Amino acid sequence: MWQVHVTRKRQRLLPEIRSLHCCALVIEKFSSIKMTAAENVCYTLINVISDSEPPSEVSLKTDLEKGEIKAKTEALKKVIIMILNGEKLPGLLMTIIRFVLPLQDHTIKKLLLVFWEIVPKTTPDGKLLQEMILVCDAYRKDLQHPNEFIRGSTLRFLCKLKESELLEPLMPAIRACLEHRHSYVRRNAVLAIYTIYRNFEHLIPDAPELIHDFLVNEKDASCKRNAFMMLIHADQDRALDYLSTCIDQVHTFGDILQLVIVELIYKVCHANPSERARFIRCIYNLLQSSSPAVKYEAAGTLVTLSSAPTAIKAAAQCYIDLIIKESDNNVKLIVLDRLIELKEHPTHERVLQDLVMDILRVLTTPDLEVRKKTLQLALDLVSSRNVEELVIVLKKEVIKTNNVTEHEDTDKYRQLLVRTLHSCSVRFPDMAANVIPVLMEFLSDTNEAAAADVLEFVREAIQRFDSLRPLIIEKMLEVFHAIKTVKIYRGALWILGEYCSTKEDIQSVMTEVRRSLGEIPIVENEIKKETGEVKPEDEVSAAPAQKLVTEMGTYVTQSALSSSRPSKKEEDRPPLRGFLMDGDFYVAASLATTLTKLALRYVEIVQEKRRQNSFVAESMLIMVTVLHLGKSSLPKKPITDDDVDRISLCLKVLSECSPLMNDIFNKECRKSLSHMLTVRLEEEKLSQKKESEKRSVTVQADDPISFMQLTAKNEMSSKEDQFQLSLLAAMGNTQRKEAADPLASKLNKVTQLTGFSDPVYAEAYVHVNQYDIVLDVLVVNQTSDTLQSCTLELATLGDLKLVEKPSPLTLAPHDFANIKANVKVASTENGIIFGNIVYDVSSAASDRNCVVLSDIHIDIMDYIQPASCTDAEFRQMWAEFEWENKVTVNTNITDLNDYLQHILKSTNMKCLTPEKALSGFCGFMAANLYARSIFGEDALANVSIEKPIHIGPDAPVNGHIRIRAKSQGMALSLGDKINLSQKKANL
């Protein structure tokens, strides 16, 4: 289906013309950049209806000669499609010149531009056809046409011509178009002159001078941009001369021209560093541009040109303003990445530390990913100079989240804030006293994850900072009765039991426990509530009488008195009793341990025997009543044997009160916590040291010193061009680190689709670019016949979608062609692309021929990236994910650590288990692995392996790997990948 939008109204044309112009300009500008193999610049997209039969040449000739405008338009479309399919229609050339070329219809004229672009213009010996002289004259008239659309379209068409004989007679008319009243004609005239000068310099040798004069007098922004672009590529010295004359007015130019100026300054200053002082002031001015794109490019250019603190600060400030003012979250994330890149440079980090408070302004963005990156950046930049201000801002943000309506992102944001404050307090202990009172309020939060983070922070703070223990105990007792989740309740009980050391605090904890437990004994109290006498306020009501029919058909009336007593709601129960009635007796075991610690400590502190016995007896009474409740039928679940053993052990310890048990309960537990926190701190320091080593630039004593002023120009050009790198990234041609032999790594992605003996040979190069896959299929005609309507038919299996159907083509004998197909990827699971090639043999009466293709399997490793998460998050996801795939280990690797490293390399996953936990040799190993796909899907794995020593030292590793994911496809795909790569190739 053709879509040709042509109208005579100039106002409706200009937006489309402007967009077309921009696309063409980008193509012209970057056509010299290396593309993938056999890829050409595409100017026109034509969708062909494959079901229609090709018309005969006679009928086309009739329609072109005698038909109406509509019939001629349709016939011309069919001619273009047939020529694109490889048909030769020499008899129609003169017909089109005589009967179609003189027409003034705009649709016809646009179609003719496509026709003259693709039609053969030379004889077999390379000479220009005589008929082209008539065509040249027609286009000379179109270049002088009063309608600016026709002039501009013709000038754009001339950019595509490669025959100098056709262009030479048109040069005076092209020059004249530079003075046309309409900007659309003038800017396309500049493009035409540039392409002609680039391809055939002898036709217009004075083009740079001509365009320079045009640029000086031009007022239109788009025309100036095209002219300046041409000077950059054709005569850079003239472009610099022009820029020098108007460098103070650059801030008044349009954004499209400012972008080109930024690019020119970048390239000039990198090629010739002595020019930096001349143009760096211009870049500073462009940081104040009204266009966000100009500001972004100017800031990036300024950072590459200068490492002075003032320059870095100006660029960083510009980035921060862009993040705050731009509404698109993708833009915010991109600019945040640039700020993080700045931070990675050691000399820039100190400059950015002064801008931490400005960076925190980005937290006003509601997007969680933006907030996460912002908090991480602020945490990396915090220092003793600004930590106090940082903590104040974060405390305000935490309080804000408490007043906002509950939302999933609000809870996660609160967790991020708590963790950030936790890290600040660990690095700067003086801040802990300001942070703890605010965070302790969130222990009563209904969101268990946020409360658990607060509890972990409180546990570490009370262990590390002795001076804060009274404050933490006081705040903990204040919020203890309001805690709503059992996990947080257990943690709070443990902290109170471990760190309450005064008589008053111990008695306060006992009071809170009794308050939270309610009246004891619990069983008798609950039975009284269930079977107690009816209270006065209880209502006695009679149920409405019902008429019933007996077996004999007679009616009887039945009524009954019902006593309705308002049942005690679960919410009205004290929290600890509520947990126990729900059958959660693990908290009872924690309570028994806490009471035991407190009782043993109370015996040491208080010398009066009567009080000692009273406290111990009360503790034992609570444990016994909990045991009684667990054995009764009142709770929803009975008490487990483990919990019974734990409570019984605590009862025995309190009955004996031996010094050994006292040491175990009151000293060894705290030592274990201290050891765990010390190990964790050492791991964090080790990871920070590794990061700093990566960032630090190590210079050896005998390394050569490079002076920019003495660097040759050819050496300068070898440096990476940021503009070309960003363009290549946008086009999907990101330069990845190839293997030692780049040819070998590319050949690994080539898939043979047919056999060498098939009439049509095909192979595909699979190019993966994040969310889509490009198949570059080479099709070779191995027969001596012409293959017509040769079509690549593809289908997909899995979460893949074919974007467009490849167009049919005609293959000459022993000819070849490249067909490209785009496939969209929606999730991480194994996908299969399959299909066939169908074709017709010229002058053959048989049916269509078909060659079945081999399947192309898409590797999910292109979409999986290593990631990290906390142990709590890993456990939570492990419990939530419903799809599990258990893979049995079957390998020839004999070392446990070698097998783990092999799995990590094969699956792109990251090992969350610390290195210290994996060090040493004990015959077995357990490790947690984690990865995330580019689509945001999480993948978890637990490796449980052992080495059967009794078989011998050469025995292979055995065990299993459990994979969990949210989707079935992810779990199965990862399991298949592990199965395929388990065995290590023998070197």
Side-chain angles (χ1 to χ4, degrees):
M1 181 175 60
W2 286 69
Q3 291 186 351
V4 181
H5 303 280
V6 179
T7 177
R8 298 179 187 274
K9 294 185 179 180
R10 185 182 307 164
Q11 289 80 5
R12 293 176 60 189
L13 274 174
L14 286 179
E16 182 186 355
I17 292 168
R18 199 171 289 122
S19 64
L20 287 171
H21 157 72
C22 293
C23 293
L25 196 56
V26 169
I27 290 172
E28 289 292 339
K29 173 183 170 188
F30 298 115
S31 60
S32 60
I33 294 177
K34 292 182 179 178
M35 303 283 197
T36 55
E39 183 174 354
N40 294 320
V41 176
C42 175
Y43 293 95
T44 311
L45 295 176
I46 300 174
N47 186 22
V48 184
I49 302 174
S50 57
D51 299 334
S52 59
E53 294 184 3
S56 64
E57 189 172 340
V58 177
S59 63
L60 287 173
K61 192 169 185 178
T62 304
D63 288 343
L64 290 171
E65 287 182 2
K66 302 176 181 177
E68 298 293 328
I69 295 292
K70 189 174 181 182
K72 289 185 177 184
T73 303
E74 292 300 320
L76 190 54
K77 290 180 185 178
K78 292 174 182 176
V79 169
I80 292 172
I81 292 170
M82 291 175 70
I83 292 176
L84 285 174
N85 283 335
E87 296 287 344
K88 309 292 182 185
L89 303 172
L92 294 180
L93 185 60
M94 202 62 204
T95 304
I96 290 175
I97 291 174
R98 288 177 59 200
F99 298 100
V100 183
L101 192 58
L103 298 177
Q104 295 300 313
D105 182 75
H106 283 204
T107 306
I108 293 286
K109 282 195 171 292
K110 188 160 188 176
L111 290 173
L112 281 173
L113 294 176
V114 179
F115 174 76
W116 294 122
E117 181 185 346
I118 64 173
V119 75
K121 305 174 189 63
T122 56
T123 58
D125 57 356
K127 294 182 179 178
L128 193 68
L129 292 172
Q130 297 294 328
E131 293 88 340
M132 288 295 118
I133 298 173
L134 300 173
V135 178
C136 184
D137 184 63
Y139 281 112
R140 184 180 56 80
K141 292 177 182 177
D142 282 347
L143 288 174
Q144 298 169 350
H145 199 281
N147 185 290
E148 64 275 3
F149 169 71
I150 293 177
R151 280 205 190 195
S153 301
T154 307
L155 286 164
R156 289 188 40 106
F157 160 72
L158 295 179
C159 296
K160 306 169 192 177
L161 285 184
K162 304 301 179 188
E163 290 79 20
S164 59
E165 297 92 336
L166 280 175
L167 293 169
E168 189 171 4
L170 302 176
M171 292 314 299
I174 295 172
R175 284 173 175 264
C177 288
L178 285 175
E179 300 175 4
H180 192 271
R181 59 183 173 78
H182 204 283
S183 61
Y184 177 63
V185 177
R186 297 199 301 275
R187 66 171 176 256
N188 279 298
V190 173
L191 276 181
I193 289 172
Y194 171 45
T195 51
I196 294 169
Y197 176 77
R198 190 180 60 189
N199 297 326
F200 313 106
E201 187 176 342
H202 65 279
L203 293 181
I204 183 165
D206 61 335
E209 184 180 353
L210 178 68
I211 295 301
H212 182 268
D213 295 339
F214 168 81
L215 182 59
V216 171
N217 300 317
E218 182 58 47
K219 301 298 181 187
D220 182 75
S222 59
C223 296
K224 291 173 75 172
R225 190 252 189 192
N226 286 9
F228 194 73
M229 179 67 74
M230 178 194 161
L231 287 182
I232 289 175
H233 291 88
D235 192 344
Q236 200 174 86
D237 292 336
R238 287 184 188 273
L240 290 174
D241 291 342
Y242 170 75
L243 181 58
S244 299
T245 59
C246 58
I247 198 165
D248 293 328
Q249 288 84 37
V250 166
H251 63 280
T252 63
F253 293 167
D255 56 349
I256 54 175
L257 183 55
Q258 287 178 341
L259 281 172
V260 181
I261 290 172
V262 171
E263 182 181 351
L264 173 65
I265 293 174
Y266 174 85
K267 289 183 175 179
V268 168
C269 292
H270 268 260
N272 188 5
S274 61
E275 296 282 355
R276 291 183 182 185
R278 180 180 172 191
F279 293 111
I280 202 163
R281 185 165 56 88
C282 178
I283 294 294
Y284 269 106
N285 292 337
L286 289 175
L287 290 177
Q288 310 302 323
S289 172
S290 58
S291 167
V294 175
K295 292 171 72 173
Y296 176 78
E297 294 294 347
T301 302
L302 183 60
V303 170
T304 60
L305 297 185
S306 173
S307 57
T310 52
I312 302 303
K313 187 173 183 178
Q317 193 67 58
C318 181
Y319 282 145
I320 295 168
D321 291 341
L322 280 174
I323 298 170
I324 294 168
K325 292 177 182 177
E326 281 299 311
S327 58
D328 191 344
N329 288 328
N330 293 320
V331 174
K332 292 177 184 287
L333 289 171
I334 290 169
V335 183
L336 262 174
D337 286 338
R338 296 303 295 265
L339 271 176
I340 293 169
E341 285 177 17
L342 275 182
K343 184 233 358 165
E344 297 297 329
H345 201 285
T347 58
H348 300 166
E349 188 171 1
R350 186 169 180 82
V351 178
L352 289 177
Q353 285 177 353
D354 297 334
L355 298 173
V356 167
M357 300 312 296
D358 291 327
I359 292 172
L360 288 176
R361 290 162 56 202
V362 181
L363 292 177
T364 54
T365 304
D367 184 70
L368 185 66
E369 193 64 30
V370 174
R371 285 172 161 176
K372 186 176 181 180
K373 281 196 173 186
T374 304
L375 286 174
Q376 186 59 50
L377 178 61
L379 190 58
D380 291 341
L381 294 173
V382 71
S383 64
S384 56
R385 292 178 296 156
N386 51 27
V387 64
E388 190 171 350
E389 296 173 337
L390 174 69
V391 167
I392 291 172
V393 172
L394 295 183
K395 281 167 60 178
K396 288 180 181 177
E397 289 294 318
V398 169
I399 294 168
K400 280 182 192 174
T401 61
N402 202 26
N403 301 328
V404 177
T405 309
E406 285 298 322
H407 188 267
E408 184 182 1
D409 283 351
T410 306
D411 296 339
K412 291 180 179 177
Y413 179 46
R414 191 181 303 152
Q415 279 182 263
L416 289 174
L417 291 169
V418 169
R419 289 176 186 173
T420 309
L421 284 168
H422 182 179
S423 301
C424 285
S425 301
V426 171
R427 286 171 58 183
F428 305 97
D430 296 342
M431 293 295 108
N434 297 330
V435 173
I436 287 171
V438 177
L439 293 186
M440 293 285 279
E441 299 294 331
F442 290 97
L443 286 175
S444 59
D445 197 352
T446 52
N447 178 23
E448 186 178 297
D453 284 334
V454 174
L455 191 71
E456 185 180 350
F457 167 54
V458 169
R459 185 185 66 182
E460 187 169 350
I462 201 172
Q463 171 64 24
R464 289 188 189 280
F465 314 126
D466 295 342
S467 59
L468 295 178
R469 284 180 186 174
L471 173 65
I472 295 175
I473 295 294
E474 180 188 348
K475 290 291 180 182
M476 183 72 78
L477 289 170
E478 285 178 10
V479 299
F480 186 74
H481 68 281
I483 296 175
K484 299 180 177 64
T485 56
V486 64
K487 182 180 176 182
I488 308 304
Y489 200 93
R490 289 200 309 264
L493 272 175
W494 188 92
I495 291 174
L496 289 173
E498 189 67 42
Y499 294 99
C500 285
S501 55
T502 64
K503 181 177 72 172
E504 292 77 15
D505 287 343
I506 293 173
Q507 289 174 341
S508 299
V509 173
M510 179 59 81
T511 304
E512 287 295 332
V513 168
R514 290 295 300 268
R515 176 184 174 189
S516 182
L517 201 57
E519 188 178 342
I520 56 174
I522 300 174
V523 175
E524 285 78 354
N525 185 256
E526 288 292 326
I527 291 174
K528 280 182 182 178
K529 289 179 182 176
E530 292 295 328
T531 60
E533 296 179 359
V534 179
K535 296 180 181 179
E537 64 267 23
D538 295 343
E539 295 179 2
V540 179
S541 60
Q546 294 181 344
K547 283 189 175 182
L548 303 176
V549 182
T550 65
E551 293 178 356
M552 294 184 295
T554 58
Y555 289 98
V556 295
T557 303
Q558 178 182 2
S559 64
L561 286 176
S562 63
S563 174
S564 65
R565 184 176 72 252
S567 61
K568 190 73 173 174
K569 295 183 180 179
E570 292 184 6
E571 299 88 48
D572 295 340
R573 282 190 180 130
L576 182 53
R577 179 176 290 199
F579 299 145
L580 296 175
M581 293 300 291
D582 288 337
D584 193 339
F585 283 94
Y586 185 27
V587 71
S590 300
L591 174 65
T593 305
T594 299
L595 291 175
T596 304
K597 291 179 183 178
L598 293 175
L600 291 173
R601 204 173 294 133
Y602 191 83
V603 169
E604 285 184 355
I605 297 171
V606 179
Q607 301 301 322
E608 190 178 340
K609 202 71 178 175
R610 184 171 171 274
R611 287 190 177 185
Q612 290 179 1
N613 292 337
S614 174
F615 193 91
V616 171
E618 188 175 6
S619 302
M620 295 176 74
L621 174 63
I622 292 173
M623 294 183 211
V624 170
T625 190
V626 170
L627 268 179
H628 188 198
L629 175 66
K631 295 291 185 180
S632 70
S633 59
L634 293 177
K636 293 180 181 178
K637 298 176 187 176
I639 190 169
T640 63
D641 292 339
D642 290 340
D643 295 330
V644 170
D645 291 346
R646 185 68 175 176
I647 297 173
S648 303
L649 174 66
C650 291
L651 284 169
K652 187 175 181 181
V653 169
L654 285 183
S655 64
E656 295 177 356
C657 291
S658 66
L660 175 62
M661 289 293 108
N662 193 359
D663 288 344
I664 291 173
F665 272 83
N666 281 329
K667 294 180 181 178
E668 296 299 327
C669 291
R670 197 174 302 187
K671 281 183 183 177
S672 300
L673 174 63
S674 177
H675 179 65
M676 185 191 76
L677 294 178
T678 305
V679 170
R680 184 183 298 177
L681 190 62
E682 287 176 359
E683 288 174 4
E684 289 177 1
K685 287 181 179 178
L686 187 64
S687 62
Q688 288 176 3
K689 185 179 178 182
K690 288 181 178 178
E691 288 293 325
S692 61
E693 285 176 356
K694 285 181 183 177
R695 285 189 287 168
S696 61
V697 182
T698 55
V699 181
Q700 300 298 330
D702 55 349
D703 280 353
I705 300 174
S706 176
F707 294 95
M708 297 293 290
Q709 289 81 359
L710 304 178
T711 307
K713 285 190 177 181
N714 58 350
E715 292 178 19
M716 284 297 301
S717 61
S718 65
K719 291 192 175 183
E720 292 180 333
D721 188 339
Q722 297 298 324
F723 284 89
Q724 289 199 8
L725 286 178
S726 60
L727 179 71
L728 287 172
M731 293 164 59
N733 298 332
T734 49
Q735 297 174 346
R736 298 181 182 178
K737 290 183 179 177
E738 302 289 358
D741 183 4
L743 274 179
S745 62
K746 276 206 165 188
L747 290 175
N748 286 337
K749 294 189 177 182
V750 174
T751 305
Q752 185 177 337
L753 302 180
T754 63
F756 292 112
S757 59
D758 287 319
V760 177
Y761 173 76
E763 64 182 25
Y765 173 71
V766 183
H767 180 74
V768 179
N769 177 33
Q770 280 211 331
Y771 303 106
D772 65 333
I773 299 169
V774 180
L775 296 179
D776 191 353
V777 184
L778 172 67
V779 180
V780 182
N781 179 9
Q782 300 195 110
T783 67
S784 301
D785 300 316
T786 300
L787 306 184
Q788 294 181 335
S789 300
C790 184
T791 308
L792 176 66
E793 296 180 346
L794 296 174
T796 59
L797 187 66
D799 218 344
L800 305 176
K801 182 181 177 183
L802 194 65
V803 176
E804 57 187 355
K805 187 178 178 182
S807 301
L809 49 86
T810 301
L811 284 177
H814 303 291
D815 193 9
F816 65 90
N818 281 74
I819 302 174
K820 291 206 171 180
N822 287 320
V823 179
K824 286 287 178 188
V825 186
S827 69
T828 311
E829 72 177 75
N830 281 338
I832 301 174
I833 302 173
F834 56 93
N836 48 50
I837 294 176
V838 294
Y839 59 90
D840 293 326
V841 179
S842 182
S843 69
S846 61
D847 294 335
R848 299 201 79 182
N849 298 281
C850 178
V851 178
V852 180
L853 306 178
S854 300
D855 296 345
I856 302 174
H857 293 265
I858 304 304
D859 190 2
I860 66 165
M861 289 304 104
D862 291 315
Y863 305 103
I864 292 181
Q865 300 168 345
S868 59
C869 66
T870 62
D871 291 340
E873 290 171 341
F874 185 91
R875 286 193 292 271
Q876 184 180 356
M877 287 188 286
W878 188 267
E880 289 175 356
F881 291 172
E882 54 187 8
W883 292 103
E884 179 174 307
N885 186 10
K886 188 173 180 179
V887 180
T888 304
V889 174
N890 180 19
T891 181
N892 55 2
I893 301 174
T894 58
D895 185 76
L896 296 175
N897 202 40
D898 287 351
Y899 179 77
L900 178 63
Q901 295 304 320
H902 180 65
I903 291 297
L904 293 176
K905 184 179 178 182
S906 304
T907 59
N908 283 353
M909 300 189 85
K910 181 179 180 180
C911 183
L912 300 180
T913 309
E915 288 183 15
K916 285 192 175 182
L918 300 173
S919 60
F921 180 78
C922 58
F924 66 89
M925 177 186 287
N928 291 333
L929 315 182
Y930 178 61
R932 181 177 293 151
S933 73
I934 61 173
F935 308 101
E937 300 167 309
D938 297 302
L940 313 175
N942 174 258
V943 180
S944 299
I945 51 179
E946 65 175 343
K947 182 176 174 62
I949 306 173
H950 61 278
I951 298 177
D954 296 330
V957 172
N958 60 30
H960 60 265
I961 301 172
R962 294 166 66 195
I963 303 161
R964 285 199 183 183
K966 207 167 190 176
S967 64
Q968 183 185 18
M970 183 82 164
L972 292 175
S973 302
L974 209 51
D976 293 343
K977 182 66 180 176
I978 291 175
N979 271 326
L980 288 172
S981 60
Q982 277 201 79
K983 292 198 175 182
K984 195 173 183 181
N986 293 320
L987 299 176

